[in-house]
């Protein structure tokens, strides 16, 4: 959980690459960490990597389908993809 907390802090500070590195460490230890997967989606949105963000949100929803944030973000990104904006 320490890696995930630092990933969150780095995200809030705008260190997106550092955040991804810590998310990778989190997922190496717990591949089904839905918070880390959701965070990866948010970081990828900030980096303009919408397809990777959608993948991360969908992976988070497989683990925890009740998460509102990833569901809303995935729906938005799917619509954006359908409209040819990605």
């Amino acid at each position: 959980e320490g890696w995930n907390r630092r990933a969150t802090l780095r995200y809030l500070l705008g260190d997106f690459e550092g955040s991804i590195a810590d998310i990778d460490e989190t997922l190496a230890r717990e591949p089904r960490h839905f918070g880390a997967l959701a965070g990866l989606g948010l970081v990828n949105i900030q980096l303009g990597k919408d397809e990777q963000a959608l993948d991360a949100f969908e992976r988070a929803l497989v683990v925890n389908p009740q998460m509102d944030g990833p569901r809303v973000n995935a729906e938005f990104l799917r619509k954006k993809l359908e409209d040819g904006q990605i």
Side-chain angles (χ1 to χ4, degrees):
E1 191 59 30
W3 289 105
N4 190 57
R5 288 181 186 253
R6 190 168 79 170
T8 301
L9 178 61
R10 285 180 161 179
Y11 172 81
L12 293 172
L13 293 173
D15 178 9
F16 302 126
E17 297 301 329
S19 182
I20 288 175
D22 287 347
I23 290 169
D24 288 345
E25 289 292 338
T26 302
L27 295 174
R29 289 161 173 74
E30 177 49 71
R32 296 177 46 87
H33 193 294
F34 55 83
L37 291 166
L40 181 59
L42 293 174
V43 173
N44 278 315
I45 285 176
Q46 292 297 318
L47 294 173
K49 298 178 179 180
D50 291 340
E51 291 178 3
Q52 292 94 327
L54 177 57
D55 178 66
F57 291 135
E58 288 176 339
R59 289 170 52 201
L61 289 169
V62 167
V63 177
N64 185 349
Q66 303 304 317
M67 294 179 75
D68 289 330
R71 185 174 52 254
V72 170
N73 284 318
E75 289 170 3
F76 171 78
L77 291 169
R78 276 190 219 104
K79 174 82 170 119
K80 194 173 174 182
L81 179 61
E82 289 170 7
D83 292 343
Q85 297 177 23
I86 295 181

